[in-house]
């Protein structure tokens, strides 16, 4: 029994903890402003709020299970940032802001880096990933690692998005039985639930864009090669880092920090679209059966509305064809072959090169999984298939040389022909596939909700290194619509559960891949 609450001591502290409201769905900008105003908000209080939400919401009965672990050094790091601020040293926009990392980013502290696999839990990494170092230099506080589709969905031929042997199943906080998408599932859900304003993910093809879309947050996938993958457990040469945020400005500031520039916020203006030529792919024509699906119905409706918003904000809209028209079935097959060959090389190299891991090869990893397989867990047939591949570096290079130009041409040709600044599609067009396969950037932008409480999204994309333009376009749309919504944690499954989203699903897309 708890006695009367006194004015001081542990009871007063308990009262403060119970009565102070959580930070909710604040962006990094709002957090930064509140810390600067010295009104009682500190990095330490923000981190404590993150931890409280993780404990009571994320790990609650109806939470999304976004986090695979929390950082035991986060409060110490937050106090250090607060002390710097007190002394007049503010590193910038992200100073003291809590963030989360997908479980593939190496950190030198006491957290694991395991890609969601129990087999890789052992001695922690001895360094920080390069982009993590840059974010720490900007003043962020890492509160934890997020769950993901184990081994970036390269374990099973029938993968389960958001599931890992280490972290269990991550759920969509808008509708708990809805698609959560992968493989950066936990990072998207952590931001959607408001536990952190920024989380990092990694994408081969769809792993940032699709979780952002299905969980109703902004997802920015960067151009291949823009950011260093040093210290990141990647799956292929096409892997690239992305961000999840609840507003565009936070995504731009995070990219500024990771690139150590200021270029990505310069174009965030309300008039940024005036005179810009934006190519748009056809509005989907739904059959009577397709129109019964709330997701497809809302995807089409919100796309039409989004085009009107872009036009009203000064954009010159230019119709273009369907991207798939320039990509034949053989190219998709070649992409599969190139990708799986790369996966074996990258995973083998990582396992052999990182100190302290319990397994040092794919063969050892597969053997561990066999020994520890639990009832109901996915198989590892895809991992076994990948392990059996034998390709040389020269063969892998030739495979990629054959397919990359096809996907790049599908975007480059309309961009050049129509002198476009960017392109836009409805999310369910799956055009993010071509964009990712080309190595080009893309951005998932919340556009509303369907009739069953699942988010819809707009997909913005363009040529290589066009992130600044995409951020500007997304910013204008965001300011005009404010379409992002807080999750309702609704029970049940939608009308038609979305197909599995997997980095390994590289066949001709018929749905979400």
């Amino acid at each position: 029994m708890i006695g009367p609450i006194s004015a001081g001591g542990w009871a007063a502290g308990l009262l403060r903890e119970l009565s102070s409201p959580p930070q909710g769905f604040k962006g990094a900008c709002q957090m930064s402003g509140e810390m600067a105003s010295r009104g009682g908000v500190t990095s330490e209080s923000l981190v404590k709020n993150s931890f409280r939400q993780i404990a009571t919401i994320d790990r609650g009965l109806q939470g999304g299970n976004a986090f695979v672990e929390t950082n035991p050094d986060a409060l110490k790091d937050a106090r250090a940032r607060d002390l710097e601020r007190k002394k007049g040293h503010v590193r910038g926009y992200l100073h003291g802001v809590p963030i989360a990392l997908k479980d593939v980013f190496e950190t030198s502290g006491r957290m694991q880096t395991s890609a969601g696999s129990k087999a890789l839990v052992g001695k922690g990494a001895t360094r920080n990933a390069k982009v993590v170092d840059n974010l720490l230099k900007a003043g962020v506080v890492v509160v934890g690692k997020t769950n993901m589709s184990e081994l970036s969905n390269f374990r099973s031929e029938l993968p389960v998005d958001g599931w890992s042997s280490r972290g269990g199943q991550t759920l969509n906080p808008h509708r708990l039985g809805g698609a959560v998408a992968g493989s950066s599932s936990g990072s998207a859900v952590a931001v959607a639930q408001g536990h952190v304003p920024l989380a990092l993910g990694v994408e081969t093809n769809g792993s940032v864009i699709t979780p952002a879309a299905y969980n109703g947050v902004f997802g920015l996938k960067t151009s291949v090669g823009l950011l260093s993958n040093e210290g990141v457990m990647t799956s292929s040469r096409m892997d690239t880092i992305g961000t999840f945020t609840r507003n565009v400005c936070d995504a731009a500031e995070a990219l500024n920090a990771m690139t150590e520039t200021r270029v990505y916020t310069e174009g965030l203006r309300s008039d940024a679209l005036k005179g810009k030529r934006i190519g748009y792919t056809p509005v989907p024509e739904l059959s009577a059966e397709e129109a019964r699906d709330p997701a497809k119905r809302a995807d089409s409706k919100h796309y039409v509305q989004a085009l009107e918003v872009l036009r009203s904000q000064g954009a010159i809209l230019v119709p273009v064809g369907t991207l798939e028209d320039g990509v034949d079935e053989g190219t998709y097959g070649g992409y599969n072959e190139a990708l799986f060959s790369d996966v074996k090389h990258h995973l083998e190299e990582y396992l052999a090169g990182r100190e302290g891991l319990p397994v040092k090869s794919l063969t050892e990893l597969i053997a561990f999984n066999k020994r520890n397989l639990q009832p109901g867990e996915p198989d590892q047939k895809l991992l076994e298939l990948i392990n059996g591949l034998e390709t040389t570096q020269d063969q892998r290079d030739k495979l990629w040389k054959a397919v990359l130009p096809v996907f790049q041409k599908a975007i480059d040709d309309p961009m050049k022909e129509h002198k476009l600044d960017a392109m836009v599609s409805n999310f369910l067009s799956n055009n993010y596939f071509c964009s990712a396969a080309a190595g080009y950037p893309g951005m998932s932008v919340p556009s509303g909700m369907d009739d069953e409480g699942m988010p819809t999204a707009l997909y913005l994309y363009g040529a290589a290194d066009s992130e600044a333009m995409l951020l500007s376009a997304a910013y204008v749309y965001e300011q005009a619509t404010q379409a992002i919504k807080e999750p309702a944690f609704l029970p049940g499954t939608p009308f038609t559960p979305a197909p599995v989203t997997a980095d390994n699903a590289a066949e001709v897309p018929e749905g979400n891949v």
Side-chain angles (χ1 to χ4, degrees):
M1 176 179 178
I2 298 178
I5 301 295
S6 64
W10 69 269
L14 175 62
L15 179 61
R16 284 194 300 271
E17 285 295 308
L18 293 175
S19 62
S20 60
Q23 64 206 35
F25 299 90
K26 295 177 183 176
C29 180
Q30 186 178 353
M31 292 180 180
S32 183
E34 290 179 351
M35 285 186 282
S37 69
R38 302 182 184 276
V41 175
T42 63
S43 180
E44 182 180 358
S45 71
L46 292 173
V47 169
K48 283 183 176 179
N49 272 326
S50 287
F51 283 161
R52 180 170 60 171
Q53 290 185 69
I54 293 167
T56 60
I57 298 174
D58 187 54
R59 295 174 180 171
L61 292 177
Q62 289 187 310
N65 191 37
F67 283 83
V68 71
E69 71 176 309
T70 54
N71 182 5
D73 297 316
L75 285 174
K76 179 191 70 176
D77 296 340
R79 293 180 189 117
R81 299 294 79 77
D82 288 336
L83 182 59
E84 288 177 348
R85 184 181 294 275
K86 188 176 181 180
K87 293 179 177 180
H89 173 48
V90 178
R91 303 185 186 202
Y93 181 96
L94 296 174
H95 187 106
V97 171
I99 73 163
L101 306 172
K102 183 179 181 178
D103 189 25
V104 292
F105 289 90
E106 292 185 357
T107 49
S108 61
R110 292 185 281 170
M111 289 188 291
Q112 297 287 323
T113 305
S114 68
S117 173
K118 285 183 178 178
L120 304 189
V121 174
K123 181 181 177 183
T126 58
R127 62 175 177 174
N128 293 322
K130 172 64 175 173
V131 292
V132 174
D133 263 340
N134 285 352
L135 286 167
L136 291 172
K137 188 186 299 183
V140 305
V141 177
V142 177
V143 298
K145 299 281 184 79
T146 57
N147 197 25
M148 56 181 286
S149 308
E150 184 168 318
L151 299 174
S152 298
N153 259 343
F154 290 107
R155 170 174 166 147
S156 173
E157 289 182 326
L158 295 172
V160 179
D161 279 340
W163 177 88
S164 73
S165 58
R166 184 175 174 221
Q169 181 65 54
T170 295
L171 303 175
N172 188 314
H174 292 275
R175 183 171 282 278
L176 297 171
V180 70
S183 62
S184 305
S185 317
S187 288
V189 173
V191 173
Q193 293 182 154
H195 303 338
V196 289
L198 166 66
L200 294 193
V202 172
E203 173 168 324
T204 306
N205 197 314
S207 275
V208 169
I209 295 301
T210 56
Y214 281 111
N215 294 284
V217 297
F218 292 88
L220 173 66
K221 174 213 174 278
T222 58
S223 302
V224 171
L226 176 67
L227 297 172
S228 171
N229 284 341
E230 180 185 340
V232 182
M233 187 177 175
T234 57
S235 303
S236 84
R237 69 186 69 189
M238 300 305 293
D239 280 18
T240 186
I241 294 160
T243 60
F244 297 92
T245 59
R246 293 191 62 83
N247 62 65
V248 175
C249 189
D250 287 355
E253 288 287 0
L255 194 53
N256 278 346
M258 289 188 287
T259 56
E260 299 183 281
T261 68
R262 295 297 306 166
V263 301
Y264 296 104
T265 48
E266 291 174 355
L268 303 189
R269 306 185 314 273
S270 60
D271 64 348
L273 276 181
K274 288 184 177 178
K276 298 297 183 184
R277 296 175 61 81
I278 308 296
Y280 69 97
T281 53
V283 175
E285 297 181 3
L286 302 182
S287 66
E289 180 63 26
E290 289 173 327
R292 292 180 60 243
D293 186 332
K296 292 180 179 178
R297 192 167 62 240
D299 174 73
S300 178
K301 175 184 176 181
H302 294 165
Y303 181 44
V304 171
Q305 292 173 344
L307 294 177
E308 289 304 315
V309 170
L310 295 176
R311 182 181 287 112
S312 73
Q313 298 301 309
I316 300 169
L317 297 184
V318 182
V320 297
T322 303
L323 296 190
E324 290 177 16
D325 291 345
V327 183
D328 61 30
E329 189 170 349
T331 301
Y332 287 103
Y335 178 87
N336 256 349
E337 189 177 0
L339 178 60
F340 292 163
S341 298
D342 245 19
V343 171
K344 179 177 181 180
H345 170 72
H346 276 249
L347 290 183
E348 287 273 52
E349 188 174 65
Y350 186 86
L351 294 175
R354 200 181 120 199
E355 297 179 6
L357 291 179
V359 298
K360 303 299 290 182
S361 68
L362 283 183
T363 299
E364 291 182 12
L365 174 57
I366 290 168
F368 177 97
N369 288 341
K370 285 182 178 179
R371 291 194 305 270
N372 295 277
L373 185 66
Q374 299 298 310
E377 289 187 348
D379 61 39
Q380 55 178 346
K381 290 182 180 178
L382 180 58
L383 193 60
E384 291 170 339
L385 181 153
I386 289 170
N387 191 40
L389 297 175
E390 295 295 342
T391 55
T392 64
Q393 180 69 49
D394 183 57
Q395 289 171 326
R396 290 192 298 276
D397 290 344
K398 288 180 179 178
L399 287 169
W400 283 113
K401 189 176 181 180
V403 299
L404 278 179
V406 179
F407 290 111
Q408 291 170 343
K409 181 178 171 63
I411 295 173
D412 290 343
D413 281 1
M415 290 286 293
K416 293 174 182 176
E417 179 184 351
H418 301 289
K419 297 180 173 59
L420 302 177
D421 295 288
M423 295 176 69
V424 65
S425 296
N426 59 307
F427 171 69
L428 292 183
S429 68
N430 299 310
N431 284 336
Y432 58 82
F433 186 99
C434 283
S435 182
Y440 292 170
M443 191 164 188
S444 179
V445 181
S447 62
M449 306 292 288
D450 70 20
D451 292 339
E452 294 190 319
M454 284 288 287
T456 59
L458 191 65
Y459 180 58
L460 289 165
Y461 53 109
D465 301 318
S466 62
E467 284 84 354
M469 178 65 226
L470 301 184
L471 287 162
S472 294
Y475 178 81
V476 173
Y477 177 80
E478 172 198 29
Q479 296 303 304
T481 62
Q482 297 296 319
I484 193 168
K485 303 297 182 184
E486 297 179 7
F489 299 93
L490 297 173
T493 58
F495 174 83
T496 304
V500 167
T501 304
D503 275 343
N504 55 52
E507 299 175 359
V508 180
E510 296 179 348
N512 179 38
V513 293

